Amino acid sequence: MSNIPTIAPERLPELLRAIPKAELHMHIEGSLEPELIFALAQRNGVSMPYASVEALRQAYAFTNLQSFLDIYYAGASVLLKEQDFYDMAWAYLERAKADNVVHTEMFFDPQTHTARGVPVKTVIEGLHRACVDAQAKLGVSASLILCFLRHLSEEEAFATLEEALPFRDRFIGVGLDSSELGHPPEKFARVFARCRELGLHLVAHAGEEGPPAYVWSALDVLKVERIDHGVQAAKDPALMKRLAQERIPLTVCPLSNLKLCVFPDLAQHNIKALLDAGLVATINSDDPAYFGGYMNENWLQTFAATGLTAHHAWQLAANSFEASFIDAAAKKAYRERLDAAFDAFA
Ligand code: ADE
Ligand code: ZN
């Protein structure tokens, strides 16, 4: 959009809530609210090492990625049945709808569940049914990206891929998540090459806590199409230049970065620098139940803390559609909805 209407600063929050946007970086297991964790624990007879919802929530004081992952995997242990996966995804999709998220690409971690004896089929069918209902009942388009846990071996990733392939039509791509430091992308070179042959989209977490070198190898070795997080790329001018020139999207998660101490406070987050350098950066919620906010909360708090403008808001939403794995016609239709939302504010 060439001429973004001038919007009074006091109307910016209203605009941010109203504009249609895509969410491209959220872990569905990270949308499990403490209340749902306790309800599912009771339903499934799983005992939790926390006495109450409040006690669990109080444990959400993280110092780094690993301190979060330990609690996140404990929370996911209540998921056993297909309906559990459906209920979790449906709760998120209703919140996404409320935030004007019109398209979402949700990560899921099959190995977190298969390790507890839950078949991949149970996980995928429950999540997929919620995606189908989201389109039909909420008008939200939703798809799934299967993530390999990088603290496990590449052999285990291959075994997970084999188990998931009968459901190949239920997920659009693969990603790489969990503990970043010490587990560089190249550890998964062969399994990503196989996924590429299978025509799956490829993404990877890189440059969340890890160095710019991990972003380079995610691009050059894994050949990913998007980088999840990627905020550490700002330390490497040559990498910044490449990301901008090749229009490789970064799915940035500001509240996650704050809660995992990647930045000391939100005002020091580098999202504005990334956008102003011409990168295809987007804002996403990562693990909203753990980090204090869903999509709009991430947008609102980040804009308030960093001084982003209405122009940045348009750019972020446009980037989210450009970076998504939807076809060109759908991208164009969403861009038109975005421009119409801005026009309505003029
Ligand atoms: N799994 C869930 N959230 C994650 C994050 N922020 N980084 C890596 N792995 C994750
Ligand atoms: Zn993530």
Side-chain angles (χ1 to χ4, degrees), residues 10-277:
E10 63 274 16
R11 292 190 74 203
L12 193 53
E14 192 191 339
L15 173 78
L16 299 179
R17 287 193 187 93
I19 55 181
K21 38 189 106 66
E23 178 152 52
L24 306 176
H25 182 164
M26 71 84 52
H27 304 259
I28 198 60
E29 293 90 347
S31 73
L32 261 186
E33 291 287 343
E35 289 78 6
L36 188 54
I37 291 178
F38 270 80
L40 292 175
Q42 200 167 30
R43 188 157 103 187
N44 290 331
V46 175
S47 72
M48 289 294 296
Y50 300 92
S52 64
V53 164
E54 291 69 37
L56 176 56
R57 211 170 243 125
Q58 274 181 9
Y60 293 0
F62 313 117
T63 50
N64 57 19
L65 175 57
Q66 193 59 51
S67 66
F68 155 69
L69 290 170
D70 294 341
I71 288 187
Y72 162 83
Y73 294 130
S77 70
V78 300
L79 297 158
L80 293 181
K81 310 267 170 45
E82 188 197 298
Q83 189 63 37
D84 304 339
F85 291 92
Y86 178 92
D87 291 345
M88 169 175 67
W90 186 252
Y92 160 70
L93 288 160
E94 283 191 311
R95 289 172 186 265
K97 167 78 179 172
D99 282 356
N100 273 312
V101 171
V102 294
H103 173 72
T104 178
E105 296 175 7
M106 309 184 298
F107 294 141
F108 68 107
D109 287 342
Q111 289 160 298
T112 301
H113 313 299
T114 52
R116 295 178 291 106
V118 179
V120 163
K121 179 180 196 297
T122 301
V123 179
I124 295 183
E125 295 290 29
L127 298 178
H128 176 69
R129 191 156 55 84
C131 292
V132 171
D133 281 358
Q135 184 67 72
K137 298 179 183 170
L138 304 174
V140 172
S141 93
S143 45
L144 297 170
I145 296 178
L146 181 160
C147 281
F148 300 118
L149 297 180
R150 70 201 303 158
H151 67 273
L152 301 178
S153 69
E154 188 179 44
E155 287 67 39
E156 286 164 297
F158 265 117
T160 301
L161 178 63
E162 276 310 308
E163 231 193 299
L165 278 183
F167 313 99
R168 164 70 184 84
D169 59 332
R170 303 276 199 248
F171 55 99
I172 60 167
V174 298
L176 187 64
D177 65 2
S178 191
S179 321
E180 186 181 11
L181 290 169
H183 302 285
E186 51 271 31
K187 180 177 163 186
F188 295 90
R190 284 156 296 266
V191 74
F192 268 67
R194 176 76 188 118
C195 291
R196 195 157 174 252
E197 282 170 7
L198 290 165
L200 288 157
H201 286 292
L202 308 179
V203 299
H205 283 53
E208 179 183 13
E209 286 183 340
Y214 285 17
V215 179
W216 284 106
S217 61
L219 296 173
D220 291 333
V221 181
L222 302 188
K223 305 199 184 304
V224 299
E225 298 157 78
R226 297 196 298 245
I227 296 289
D228 296 314
H229 293 293
V231 291
Q232 303 298 338
K235 291 177 175 159
D236 181 338
L239 179 56
M240 289 287 280
K241 200 167 158 205
R242 176 171 180 193
L243 293 168
Q245 270 176 356
E246 297 184 16
R247 297 199 68 70
I248 294 158
L250 301 188
T251 61
V252 177
C253 306
L255 287 181
S256 165
N257 295 154
L258 176 68
K259 293 292 154 68
L260 301 187
C261 307
V262 173
F263 294 93
D265 62 64
L266 215 44
Q268 290 184 55
H269 197 284
N270 64 10
I271 184 74
K272 188 166 183 291
L274 298 173
L275 288 168
D276 292 347

